[in-house]
Amino acid sequence: MSAPREVASGGKFSIARVARAWYVACASGELGEKPLARTILNTPLVLFRGLDNKPAALLDRCAHRNAPLSLGNTLQGELQCAYHGWRYDSSGVCVGVPGLVGDAEKNVRAVPRFPARDQDGYVWVYTAADEEPTAGPFRLPAASVGYTEVRRSVEVSSTLHAALENALDVPHTAFLHQGLFRGTGRTSRIRVRVTRTTDRVEAEYVGEPRPEGLVGKILSPSGGIVTHFDRFILPSIAQVEYRLGAENHFLITTLCTPVDDFRTRLYAAILFRTRFPGWLVRLLIEPIARRIFSQDAAMLRRQAETARRFGGEHYSSTEVDVLGLQIWLLLKRAEQGEAPAEDWLREFEMEV
Amino acid sequence: MSAPREVASGGKFSIARVARAWYVACASGELGEKPLARTILNTPLVLFRGLDNKPAALLDRCAHRNAPLSLGNTLQGELQCAYHGWRYDSSGVCVGVPGLVGDAEKNVRAVPRFPARDQDGYVWVYTAADEEPTAGPFRLPAASVGYTEVRRSVEVSSTLHAALENALDVPHTAFLHQGLFRGTGRTSRIRVRVTRTTDRVEAEYVGEPRPEGLVGKILSPSGGIVTHFDRFILPSIAQVEYRLGAENHFLITTLCTPVDDFRTRLYAAILFRTRFPGWLVRLLIEPIARRIFSQDAAMLRRQAETARRFGGEHYSSTEVDVLGLQIWLLLKRAEQGEAPAEDWLREFEMEV
Amino acid sequence: MSAPREVASGGKFSIARVARAWYVACASGELGEKPLARTILNTPLVLFRGLDNKPAALLDRCAHRNAPLSLGNTLQGELQCAYHGWRYDSSGVCVGVPGLVGDAEKNVRAVPRFPARDQDGYVWVYTAADEEPTAGPFRLPAASVGYTEVRRSVEVSSTLHAALENALDVPHTAFLHQGLFRGTGRTSRIRVRVTRTTDRVEAEYVGEPRPEGLVGKILSPSGGIVTHFDRFILPSIAQVEYRLGAENHFLITTLCTPVDDFRTRLYAAILFRTRFPGWLVRLLIEPIARRIFSQDAAMLRRQAETARRFGGEHYSSTEVDVLGLQIWLLLKRAEQGEAPAEDWLREFEMEV
């Protein structure tokens, strides 16, 4: 695969490519009769459904003349190239070459195949060709009684690491999203407890008052104390959990798919329960969430542009960059297939 | 000349640059009083007509401050630069520098000139600067009595080789152009005879029934046997010939001009005679031909994009890729100025 | 700073980067409450006004996560980053990190600062970070009684050198701007005297008749002799001066700012006095000046494109390229910080 690693020379960009991992390729409902083109870790893939309706993922390049297979059609569970009609089964083997009479080498022709499966409403792909994964994809939390689930997907122009750090960062919310969530002026000093285990790092915010922005006011007009966790789980999952009193519970799981070094696709599954009906909360929160998201996307794009403009990132960090460095550590170890880091704990105070 | 040869490192792209050859630069009628900019083999040229109305081709770069000469004007058979008014004659010599008093070095200033001539309705340029070609351009077949001629030109985003292979390929017609020409389901087993001589390779399709698609039905409702030849002629000519019964004869000559490594301009001269009047056939066939062509252009573009995406072509071939490899062989030998390959013959069966 | 110097390898492009010099960043009136992004010598800068309303220029990259500081806001003379709210003073020191409790390293965080000042209606920036310049910016000629001043700014896609040569070149006016200024057919032989001193080169055109184009006719219907000087002053100033009789005086000072190697921003300050009222001259001359300028901008862009297309400039010069080579000599010496060239004089004849 041609990979623009050169931009990362000298480790100047926070680019980690964790292969041998499951990533979301699309929502299960997006993959129907037409093949679908998706790129993961800079590898163009074609997704289609075989005879058993199970998803299959092949390299998106016909073995014959390199036409993208995603331009073709699915016919009886086989993928047919749009250029000369070569047909492939779910394992990537070419099972038909139109025009050819008597073909001894028939089963030699093939394109690389990637493990694929439907799970929790997404099509997941394992990013190692012609290899069997030893474990399955991350299991999404299920919606219990009284919960509503909303799913959203969007692509940002940033590294996987910058997208993950942004998704789990507290201080920027008071500035980039001023007034929507935090940033109304009043701050409190609270404790933060960070715990890193083999495949994840989690921050617990202890004693945080209800955020003063629009979102908090809608959910809990009378204030209260929040229980708040931010979690990163390998290879690319960001999870934010809020409890506000006994009634309100929010669990936002963002499955990140590295499209290439500077593009990341986010699949967010938002589970919530409040004292209001789900449809009403959706109605009130959705425009605010859209605004928050577009602010993040614009900033991530400008941040990446600036780093590229200067030939690399020149970051400096403080204690309140709570999870960014830990996420980077876990990603780099996973990229190198290293043994998991030993457990680790940190406690400190910050203003929110 | 700055040439993106690096993309071809390791021979991974089917790029052959046959210099010292005649290519079509434009239709003769396109070149009038205004100079015309054209690029051939990645070399920017300016075309204009001298005092004798004969075409001239110079490097499109003023010797003074490198303004494109094609922005200028033709004045009494001389080309005048739009920036400072330097004037050039048809041989590329600078014959006037405005403002300059008493100029000893007058005849030293010049831009490279390329041989150019009008022939068969096209302006042809020989791609070696300040050199005299030993032979003339390819002679187009002339329209005899009862024949109609149609000419079309279009640019595709592909290598010269991919464009030529596509123009002379049979199997793709049943898939990419399904229903228009071939690909209605029924197939027959026929013999193919391939003959390669010093400057060309030809495939004869023996015993091919009339194609079942729209085009065949319009021309010969009652079916019949087709005589069908596909030919490649150095440096860049693709010719397809069909005879259907005694009355119908089609001869499509496509003169390909390599603009740069990944862009090719096609000048097609279509000669035909049928039992119907020429204007009627034109009327019926033209929308179908346009559709066929736009399908080819889109596929060639996607094919080239995919090869570039992967850092090179990864092709595999079978017997029914009848001419592609032979075209490549001839192009590469011609590029290296090697002695012509010895004659060669192959016969085999295929389904059409 | 990542600088595309590789394009200049082999000295094939007229690119000179004179650092340790003052350049105009914007008009003083353009810099108000909002920070402003400007690029000089390929370095992205953010301009803002401190508490004293004095201009400040910092590298446009937050020390924290590299967001462009120009997306932020000015608050009480401090620049606040839009992402996480880090605050910087006019010296580039970070004076606040929101959320952070008890910070020992506070004064270590900073972004590079560039000297900046308001002078003659422009904000000037000195292109060496955290250094004190020994001299001030170029002083613009002031408007005396009876003079009108017009200011214009525009960006061209060309090297600094090509823009300067164009601004001070006489022969092109008869062709590129045919009929507007010169180029009506009649020419006269005149003397040119070129004088180069340590920081400038000046051409005096002796005995030049009034230009026959539109501009000349408007100003002096009865003709007359012109006094005409063209001057280049280091690092990037082009000055054209015309006197036509006792009444008419034009002094056009163009302050050029190298944005990057192939983009140059021109700030023109036009001072004039004629026998007509200033507002009337403006009204008549402005559309002609706009037309002249857009012709120059288009040609400079095409000239640069052609040089890049061919991998470098391939220029040839004659005596009537009066100032171009001298400008280049002065720029290269200044870039290398060399001692000034010794004085030099040349006289010759040309046709205008």
Side-chain angles (χ1 to χ4, degrees):
Chain A
M1 197 67 30
S2 118
R5 192 54 173 264
E6 63 275 21
V7 297
S9 64
K12 292 194 291 185
F13 287 93
S14 300
I15 296 169
R17 302 187 188 128
V18 182
R20 291 186 169 63
W22 290 98
Y23 296 103
V24 172
C26 65
S28 291
E30 288 180 275
L31 183 56
E33 291 205 357
K34 285 292 299 173
L36 211 58
R38 284 291 183 271
T39 298
I40 303 182
L41 283 177
N42 207 25
T43 304
L45 303 173
V46 55
L47 307 174
F48 68 105
R49 292 198 178 274
L51 262 187
D52 49 8
N53 211 36
K54 284 191 184 159
L58 308 180
L59 197 65
D60 192 10
R61 182 183 70 178
C62 184
H64 178 221
R65 283 297 178 266
N66 295 180
L69 290 169
S70 52
L71 296 179
N73 285 300
T74 312
L75 285 175
Q76 294 155 312
E78 292 171 359
L79 181 60
Q80 185 180 54
C81 180
Y83 198 174
H84 299 83
W86 285 30
R87 288 192 311 282
Y88 298 89
D89 67 16
S90 289
S91 74
V93 170
C94 174
V95 294
V97 174
L100 195 56
V101 174
D103 182 12
E105 301 168 81
K106 206 170 181 170
N107 290 313
V108 177
R109 292 174 204 111
V111 292
R113 171 197 78 95
F114 296 82
R117 68 170 73 164
D118 281 303
Q119 186 190 290
D120 299 332
Y122 293 111
V123 176
W124 301 74
V125 169
Y126 187 77
T127 52
D130 303 318
E131 232 179 66
E132 280 320 301
T134 52
F138 175 80
R139 282 253 156 234
L140 276 167
S144 324
V145 177
Y147 279 81
T148 303
E149 190 179 42
V150 178
R151 293 198 170 186
R152 287 286 174 274
S153 160
V154 76
E155 194 171 298
V156 292
S157 295
S158 85
T159 63
L160 171 64
H161 176 258
L164 286 166
E165 181 176 40
N166 171 272
L168 297 174
D169 174 75
V170 170
H172 84 280
T173 59
F175 294 90
L176 190 58
H177 314 308
Q178 193 165 8
L180 297 179
F181 187 58
R182 291 194 180 85
T184 52
R186 274 188 285 171
T187 61
S188 325
R189 183 166 300 190
I190 59 165
R191 284 202 75 70
V192 188
R193 190 179 298 128
V194 183
T195 318
R196 194 185 69 213
T197 55
T198 55
D199 70 337
R200 69 190 58 201
V201 59
E202 180 182 276
E204 183 184 357
Y205 296 84
V206 185
E208 181 180 355
R210 189 208 67 189
E212 288 295 303
L214 256 176
V215 176
K217 278 185 182 146
I218 288 169
L219 293 177
S220 179
S222 56
I225 290 294
V226 168
T227 309
H228 171 195
F229 290 91
D230 288 340
R231 291 181 198 101
F232 165 69
I233 304 164
L234 277 173
S236 64
I237 293 138
Q239 202 170 50
V240 174
E241 184 164 15
Y242 277 99
R243 290 182 195 270
L244 219 168
E247 285 173 315
N248 302 299
H249 184 204
F250 275 76
L251 182 60
I252 301 144
T253 307
T254 305
L255 310 161
C256 297
T257 301
V259 176
D260 58 28
D261 289 343
F262 290 103
R263 284 189 300 159
T264 303
R265 183 130 204 123
L266 275 49
Y267 295 88
I270 303 137
L271 266 183
F272 63 87
R273 188 191 65 198
T274 72
R275 57 187 179 121
F276 304 110
W279 63 265
L280 181 62
V281 175
R282 250 174 108 143
L283 206 71
L284 292 168
I285 302 287
E286 258 193 343
I288 301 172
R290 247 200 307 275
R291 178 111 186 87
I292 286 177
F293 186 78
S294 83
Q295 290 170 336
D296 279 325
M299 181 55 78
L300 285 167
R301 181 173 56 75
R302 297 299 303 268
Q303 180 191 21
E305 277 171 13
T306 304
R308 281 204 271 201
R309 182 85 198 267
F310 283 91
E313 294 157 1
H314 295 71
Y315 287 180
S316 62
S317 295
T318 75
E319 206 169 48
V320 300
D321 294 302
V322 177
L323 293 176
L325 297 180
Q326 301 306 320
I327 295 171
W328 180 239
L329 215 109
L330 287 165
L331 283 174
K332 282 313 273 185
R333 294 206 180 172
E335 184 189 38
Q336 290 151 21
E338 273 179 27
E342 53 190 28
D343 291 2
W344 178 89
L345 186 81
R346 174 165 78 107
E347 274 202 56
F348 63 96
E349 290 193 320
M350 73 182 278
E351 305 264 354
V352 294
Chain B
M1 200 65 32
S2 121
R5 192 53 175 263
E6 64 276 20
V7 298
S9 64
K12 293 194 290 187
F13 287 94
S14 301
I15 296 169
R17 301 187 188 127
V18 183
R20 289 185 171 62
W22 290 96
Y23 296 103
V24 172
C26 65
S28 290
E30 287 180 276
L31 183 56
E33 291 206 358
K34 284 293 299 174
L36 211 59
R38 284 290 184 271
T39 298
I40 304 182
L41 283 177
N42 206 25
T43 303
L45 303 173
V46 54
L47 307 173
F48 68 103
R49 292 197 178 275
L51 261 188
D52 49 8
N53 210 36
K54 283 190 185 159
L58 308 180
L59 196 65
D60 193 12
R61 180 183 72 179
C62 183
H64 177 221
R65 283 295 179 268
N66 294 180
L69 290 169
S70 52
L71 296 180
N73 286 300
T74 311
L75 284 177
Q76 294 156 312
E78 291 171 359
L79 181 59
Q80 186 180 53
C81 181
Y83 199 174
H84 298 84
W86 284 32
R87 288 191 312 282
Y88 298 90
D89 67 17
S90 288
S91 73
V93 170
C94 174
V95 293
V97 173
L100 196 55
V101 174
D103 183 13
E105 302 167 80
K106 206 169 180 173
N107 290 313
V108 177
R109 294 176 202 109
V111 292
R113 171 196 77 96
F114 297 82
R117 69 171 73 164
D118 281 302
Q119 186 190 291
D120 299 331
Y122 293 110
V123 176
W124 301 74
V125 170
Y126 186 76
T127 53
D130 302 318
E131 233 179 62
E132 279 321 301
T134 52
F138 175 80
R139 282 252 154 232
L140 276 167
S144 324
V145 177
Y147 279 81
T148 304
E149 190 179 43
V150 178
R151 294 198 168 185
R152 286 287 173 273
S153 160
V154 77
E155 194 172 299
V156 292
S157 294
S158 84
T159 62
L160 171 64
H161 176 259
L164 287 165
E165 182 176 41
N166 171 272
L168 297 174
D169 175 73
V170 170
H172 85 279
T173 58
F175 294 90
L176 190 57
H177 314 308
Q178 192 164 10
L180 296 179
F181 187 58
R182 292 194 181 84
T184 53
R186 274 188 286 171
T187 60
S188 323
R189 183 168 299 192
I190 61 165
R191 284 203 74 70
V192 188
R193 190 179 298 126
V194 183
T195 319
R196 194 185 69 214
T197 56
T198 55
D199 70 338
R200 68 190 60 200
V201 58
E202 178 181 277
E204 184 183 357
Y205 295 84
V206 186
E208 181 179 357
R210 187 211 64 187
E212 288 296 302
L214 256 176
V215 175
K217 279 185 181 145
I218 288 170
L219 292 177
S220 179
S222 55
I225 291 294
V226 168
T227 309
H228 170 193
F229 290 91
D230 288 341
R231 291 180 198 102
F232 164 70
I233 304 163
L234 276 172
S236 64
I237 293 138
Q239 201 169 51
V240 174
E241 183 163 18
Y242 277 100
R243 289 180 195 272
L244 218 169
E247 284 173 316
N248 301 301
H249 184 204
F250 276 76
L251 182 60
I252 300 142
T253 306
T254 306
L255 309 161
C256 297
T257 301
V259 177
D260 59 29
D261 290 341
F262 290 103
R263 283 189 300 159
T264 303
R265 183 131 203 123
L266 276 49
Y267 295 88
I270 304 137
L271 265 183
F272 63 88
R273 187 191 64 197
T274 73
R275 56 188 179 119
F276 303 109
W279 63 266
L280 181 62
V281 176
R282 250 174 107 142
L283 205 70
L284 292 168
I285 301 287
E286 258 193 345
I288 300 171
R290 246 202 307 274
R291 177 110 185 89
I292 286 177
F293 186 78
S294 82
Q295 288 170 336
D296 280 326
M299 182 56 79
L300 286 167
R301 182 172 54 77
R302 297 300 303 267
Q303 179 190 22
E305 278 171 11
T306 304
R308 281 204 272 199
R309 183 84 197 267
F310 283 91
E313 294 158 2
H314 294 73
Y315 287 0
S316 61
S317 295
T318 76
E319 206 169 50
V320 300
D321 294 302
V322 177
L323 293 176
L325 297 180
Q326 301 306 319
I327 295 170
W328 179 240
L329 215 107
L330 287 165
L331 284 174
K332 280 314 271 184
R333 294 207 180 171
E335 185 190 38
Q336 290 150 22
E338 273 180 26
E342 55 190 27
D343 291 2
W344 177 87
L345 186 81
R346 173 165 79 107
E347 274 201 55
F348 63 97
E349 290 193 318
M350 73 182 277
E351 305 264 355
V352 293
Chain C
M1 198 67 29
S2 120
R5 193 53 175 262
E6 64 275 22
V7 299
S9 64
K12 292 193 293 187
F13 288 93
S14 301
I15 297 169
R17 300 185 188 128
V18 182
R20 289 186 171 63
W22 289 97
Y23 296 103
V24 172
C26 65
S28 289
E30 287 180 274
L31 183 56
E33 291 206 358
K34 286 290 300 173
L36 211 58
R38 284 291 184 270
T39 298
I40 304 182
L41 284 177
N42 207 25
T43 303
L45 303 173
V46 54
L47 308 174
F48 68 104
R49 293 198 177 275
L51 262 188
D52 49 7
N53 210 36
K54 283 191 185 159
L58 308 180
L59 197 66
D60 193 11
R61 181 183 71 179
C62 184
H64 177 221
R65 283 295 179 268
N66 294 180
L69 290 170
S70 52
L71 297 180
N73 286 299
T74 311
L75 284 177
Q76 293 156 310
E78 292 172 359
L79 181 59
Q80 185 180 55
C81 180
Y83 199 174
H84 299 84
W86 285 31
R87 288 191 312 282
Y88 298 90
D89 66 16
S90 288
S91 73
V93 170
C94 174
V95 293
V97 174
L100 195 56
V101 174
D103 181 13
E105 302 168 82
K106 206 168 181 173
N107 289 313
V108 178
R109 294 176 201 109
V111 291
R113 170 196 78 93
F114 296 83
R117 67 171 74 164
D118 281 302
Q119 186 191 291
D120 299 332
Y122 294 111
V123 175
W124 302 73
V125 169
Y126 186 77
T127 52
D130 302 317
E131 232 178 66
E132 279 321 301
T134 51
F138 176 80
R139 281 252 154 234
L140 276 167
S144 322
V145 177
Y147 279 81
T148 303
E149 189 179 44
V150 178
R151 293 198 169 184
R152 287 287 173 273
S153 160
V154 75
E155 195 173 298
V156 293
S157 294
S158 85
T159 62
L160 171 64
H161 176 259
L164 287 166
E165 181 176 41
N166 170 272
L168 297 173
D169 175 74
V170 170
H172 85 280
T173 57
F175 295 90
L176 190 58
H177 314 307
Q178 193 163 9
L180 295 179
F181 187 57
R182 292 194 180 84
T184 53
R186 274 187 285 171
T187 60
S188 324
R189 183 166 299 192
I190 60 164
R191 284 203 75 71
V192 188
R193 191 178 299 127
V194 183
T195 318
R196 194 185 70 214
T197 55
T198 55
D199 70 338
R200 68 191 59 201
V201 58
E202 179 181 277
E204 183 183 358
Y205 295 84
V206 185
E208 181 180 354
R210 188 208 66 187
E212 288 296 301
L214 257 176
V215 175
K217 278 185 182 146
I218 288 170
L219 293 177
S220 180
S222 56
I225 291 294
V226 168
T227 310
H228 170 193
F229 291 91
D230 288 340
R231 290 180 198 102
F232 164 70
I233 303 163
L234 276 172
S236 63
I237 292 137
Q239 200 169 53
V240 175
E241 182 164 17
Y242 277 99
R243 289 180 194 272
L244 219 169
E247 284 173 317
N248 301 300
H249 184 205
F250 277 76
L251 182 59
I252 301 144
T253 307
T254 305
L255 309 162
C256 298
T257 301
V259 176
D260 58 29
D261 289 342
F262 290 103
R263 284 189 301 160
T264 303
R265 183 130 204 123
L266 274 51
Y267 295 89
I270 304 137
L271 265 184
F272 62 89
R273 187 191 65 198
T274 74
R275 56 187 179 122
F276 303 111
W279 63 265
L280 181 62
V281 176
R282 252 173 106 142
L283 205 71
L284 292 167
I285 301 287
E286 259 193 344
I288 301 172
R290 247 201 306 275
R291 177 112 187 87
I292 286 178
F293 186 79
S294 82
Q295 290 170 335
D296 280 326
M299 181 56 79
L300 286 167
R301 182 173 53 77
R302 297 300 303 267
Q303 180 190 23
E305 278 171 13
T306 303
R308 281 205 271 200
R309 183 85 197 266
F310 283 90
E313 294 158 2
H314 294 72
Y315 287 1
S316 61
S317 296
T318 75
E319 205 168 51
V320 300
D321 294 303
V322 178
L323 293 176
L325 297 181
Q326 301 307 319
I327 295 170
W328 179 239
L329 216 107
L330 287 165
L331 283 175
K332 281 314 272 185
R333 294 207 181 172
E335 184 189 38
Q336 290 150 21
E338 274 180 27
E342 54 189 28
D343 291 1
W344 177 88
L345 185 81
R346 174 166 78 106
E347 275 201 55
F348 62 98
E349 290 192 318
M350 73 182 279
E351 305 266 354
V352 295

